[in-house]
Amino acid sequence: MVVINKAQEMIMATLFVLGCFLQTVQAAKPDDVALAWRPTSPFRDELRDLGVAGLIRDDAEATALVSTDFGNVTVAAPAAVLYPSCPADIAALLLASCARSSPFPVSARGRGHSARGQAAAPNGVVVNMPSLGRLGGSSTASRLSVSVEGQCIDAGGEQLWVDVLRTALAHGLTPRSWTDYLHLTVGGTLSNAGISGQAFRYGPQISNVQELDVITGLGEMVTCSKERHSDLFDAVLGGLGQFGVITRARIQLVPAPTRARWVRLLYTSAAALTGDQERLIDVERGDALSGLMDYVEGTVLADKGLIGSWRSPSPSSSFFGSEPDVAARVAKLAEEAGGVLYCLEGALYYGGAAGGEPDVEKRLETLMRELRYERGFAFVHDVSYMGFLDRVRDGELRLRAAGQWDVPHPWLNLFLPRSRVLDFAAGVFHGIFRRGTTGAMGPVLVYPMNRNRWDSNTSAVFPEEEEVFYTVGILRSAVSDGDLGRLEEQNNDILRFCEEAGIPCVQYLSYYADQAGWEKKHFGPAKWARFVERKRKYDPKAILSRGQRIFTSPLA
């Protein structure tokens, strides 16, 4: 990295930002002009000197929109919101904070889908990342660029994964790893890990990134990769927004399939489900089921049924055939099983680069013969590849129409070692869930991943003691009065159960009340020491993502 002194750094940043700002003014549409007014925030002078004052809003409407996130549990109002026209605007903002004796917090916000304050900047400035694709003459298309020869896509950190997918598919290509919900930003998921049913084969999304453009907490604009500034690269991936703002990611692509055979199979025991899942994800063993599915997940059916949940096709969908008959049979099976069923959900890709229909039929035949699901409870549907990956969108639209999307989401996501997943199922799915029925809606996911597909050099924390670990996502929504309190208490009961039963677990999309919780319960001594060392190097004044309470004041 070229070393320049602070004076040079400030001059260069100012000139760069002024250029971006002038471009923004020249290209502004009438709706954008509302941004160009002088703020009254306490940071006004510093921001005006750096050329970004015209991109700041501190009115009640702007700050209220970013005072909470998808979790809708944590409320932290910022003093202002920055609408950047280019990455240099963000760098200028961070430089302004660094220059103060009391730096103000800064957090990047894409879709605000974090659950517990990662996108919050209490009394500071929230960066509205989608503005990078709208202001300064930019467009979504100009922030997405595919290299067919290199089989990669450069995507702005503010870009949605669904747009990444559409752009890549136009060239017959696709990213390898996904989240279940595609209407999230690239920078947002990469700052956590990005997991779904393809992680068993390709690892999380952070294992499929080739290069990043990052703005550190010091205001430095750095391009990094495994070969160049690798420590920053590793720190940012899974780093919870603590080390820098991702403004561009280069993501690996592979030839794309065109169709998906979407499969759902019901089970009456956790042992049968997890046993089959582990055979499916063991891509190196070579038995009849090894790697046969391209996408492997699972759900627990305790409070709400398979049919009509927000992650499912609608009750009228042909997926379930004659819905009333199926619903009655599923209800009877659940009663016979003691009130809890399990569902193996997955997909077999075909078409395009993934082979033809005869091949998928052969694979499906092997699945139906080898898997230990309840006969008569297999549901198979053929959809486009895009339709399968974007399947949760339909559920979102249904919930929005019913006014049940923007409600509190006290989610609990855990990583568990393989050896204890059945103990967890007995104590939680057949114990705590059955004793404390809340009536709240939302899926409960359970599926395994291979540890060797994760990179321990990144900041992401995951169980490393065993070759396979499970994710359990308890993704509940508080839709009625009293649900929030009951769900949070149930989450606490689950964590207490794990502690008392000696089941080691790591939170994903983590939340702890203070730094001590993060240090002792999440990271552990060795990983915490590395995390602090990286924080001291890239954000020593603890400017970034203070809403999580990992660091709330400058490091010594």
Side-chain angles (χ1 to χ4, degrees):
M1 187 184 301
V2 178
V3 178
I4 57 178
N5 63 41
K6 278 291 179 185
Q8 292 172 314
E9 187 179 62
M10 294 288 283
I11 292 169
M12 291 170 64
T14 300
L15 291 173
F16 198 151
V17 171
L18 285 173
C20 292
F21 180 57
L22 289 173
Q23 182 185 24
T24 301
V25 173
Q26 292 167 357
K29 301 175 184 177
D31 289 344
D32 297 328
V33 175
L35 301 182
W37 59 281
R38 182 169 295 178
T40 57
S41 75
F43 325 122
R44 179 182 59 198
D45 293 339
E46 294 97 323
L47 299 175
R48 186 194 301 116
D49 290 344
L50 287 171
V52 295
L55 304 176
I56 287 279
R57 283 181 59 180
D58 62 357
D59 58 283
E61 179 183 7
T63 56
L65 287 173
V66 298
S67 292
T68 189
D69 51 27
F70 185 70
N72 214 355
V73 176
T74 302
V75 178
V81 183
L82 175 73
Y83 298 83
S85 64
C86 61
D89 293 338
I90 304 171
L93 177 72
L94 288 163
L95 285 170
S97 182
C98 281
R100 298 178 104 240
S101 57
S102 297
F104 53 82
V106 173
S107 289
R109 180 187 174 98
R111 294 280 287 178
H113 207 265
S114 54
R116 293 282 187 167
Q118 180 178 326
N123 300 312
V125 180
V126 168
V127 178
N128 182 281
M129 294 296 289
S131 295
L132 288 173
R134 294 199 297 260
L135 301 181
S138 298
S139 67
T140 294
S142 67
R143 298 278 294 164
L144 288 167
S145 176
V146 173
S147 169
V148 175
E149 182 178 345
Q151 292 204 323
C152 62
I153 183 170
D154 285 332
E158 79 289 348
Q159 294 298 308
L160 300 183
W161 282 103
V162 69
D163 293 322
V164 172
L165 175 60
R166 290 191 184 107
T167 302
L169 286 178
H171 300 272
L173 300 169
T174 177
R176 305 192 305 177
S177 189
W178 296 101
T179 60
D180 285 327
Y181 179 56
L182 300 188
H183 296 256
L184 305 174
T185 61
V186 169
T189 66
L190 294 183
S191 68
N192 285 277
I195 59 173
S196 74
Q198 288 181 207
F200 78 90
R201 190 187 300 272
Y202 298 115
Q205 290 181 313
I206 58 174
S207 294
N208 294 273
V209 180
Q210 297 175 340
E211 186 176 271
L212 296 172
D213 283 347
V214 174
I215 304 172
T216 71
L218 294 168
E220 297 172 325
M221 303 174 70
V222 183
T223 296
C224 54
S225 65
K226 277 293 188 183
E227 293 74 36
R228 182 183 181 192
H229 307 304
S230 59
D231 185 59
L232 177 61
F233 183 76
D234 289 335
V236 169
L237 293 173
L240 304 174
Q242 290 291 320
F243 307 104
V245 177
I246 298 171
T247 59
R248 178 187 64 90
R250 178 167 294 169
I251 301 153
Q252 184 175 354
L253 301 177
V254 293
T258 59
R259 306 291 298 174
R261 195 63 55 88
W262 185 0
V263 179
R264 283 181 167 181
L265 309 171
L266 293 191
Y267 290 72
T268 56
S269 79
L273 171 75
T274 57
D276 280 354
Q277 285 178 325
E278 288 173 21
R279 288 182 68 190
L280 287 165
I281 72 160
D282 189 353
V283 295
E284 297 172 357
R285 188 170 67 175
D287 85 352
L289 292 177
S290 179
L292 204 59
M293 272 188 171
D294 297 294
Y295 204 101
V296 178
E297 288 193 357
T299 54
V300 183
L301 311 177
D303 285 351
K304 295 288 183 180
L306 172 72
I307 300 171
S309 74
W310 68 271
R311 282 173 51 90
S312 299
S314 66
S316 61
S317 169
S318 61
F319 195 115
F320 297 109
S322 176
E323 185 272 330
D325 176 62
V326 173
R329 291 198 300 116
V330 170
K332 186 174 185 296
L333 183 67
E335 183 180 359
E336 293 170 350
V340 179
L341 293 178
Y342 297 87
C343 176
L344 173 61
E345 181 173 21
L348 297 84
Y349 299 150
Y350 70 102
E357 192 162 0
D359 174 70
V360 78
E361 291 291 352
K362 183 178 179 180
R363 286 190 285 157
L364 184 60
E365 180 182 338
T366 302
L367 283 173
M368 295 303 179
R369 181 181 67 247
E370 294 284 335
L371 293 173
R372 297 176 294 167
Y373 66 96
E374 294 296 314
R375 266 40 186 180
F377 292 92
F379 307 97
V380 181
H381 200 50
D382 200 80
V383 295
S384 70
Y385 175 67
M386 176 80 183
F388 174 73
L389 290 179
D390 199 26
R391 64 198 182 281
V392 177
R393 178 66 168 174
D394 288 341
E396 175 199 347
L397 295 177
R398 293 202 305 271
L399 288 184
R400 285 191 183 279
Q404 295 180 343
W405 182 255
D406 296 317
V407 298
H409 299 95
W411 287 2
L412 179 64
N413 292 270
L414 300 174
F415 290 156
L416 307 171
R418 169 191 184 183
S419 62
R420 302 304 303 274
V421 69
L422 294 183
D423 295 331
F424 183 92
V428 176
F429 304 149
H430 296 268
I432 292 173
F433 277 10
R434 303 306 298 156
R435 294 193 303 271
T437 301
T438 63
M441 59 186 291
V444 177
L445 308 182
V446 54
Y447 59 92
M449 291 177 281
N450 292 309
R451 177 181 58 82
N452 63 8
R453 299 305 195 264
W454 291 63
D455 185 349
S456 60
N457 291 314
T458 67
S459 292
V461 178
F462 56 93
E464 298 188 48
E465 297 78 15
E466 300 178 12
E467 289 302 316
V468 171
F469 67 91
Y470 276 77
T471 182
V472 175
I474 303 172
L475 311 181
R476 302 297 182 86
S477 301
V479 296
S480 303
D481 290 344
D483 275 352
L484 179 58
R486 288 192 292 270
L487 288 170
E488 290 192 314
E489 182 55 37
Q490 189 177 78
N491 288 345
N492 290 332
D493 288 345
I494 293 168
L495 293 173
R496 278 193 296 269
F497 166 76
C498 289
E499 185 174 356
E500 292 169 1
I503 299 176
C505 61
V506 174
Q507 286 193 40
Y508 177 65
L509 305 180
S510 318
Y511 168 74
Y512 299 93
D514 53 30
Q515 188 179 89
W518 285 98
E519 178 181 357
K520 296 175 183 177
K521 296 180 180 180
H522 186 69
F523 289 102
K527 290 180 180 178
W528 175 249
R530 184 182 68 179
F531 202 80
V532 172
E533 180 183 359
R534 287 171 167 174
K535 184 71 171 180
R536 185 174 286 114
K537 184 175 181 181
Y538 299 114
D539 184 27
K541 295 190 176 182
I543 291 169
L544 295 168
S545 294
R546 282 193 203 166
Q548 294 169 300
R549 303 178 186 172
I550 305 177
F551 302 95
T552 57
S553 59
L555 283 71

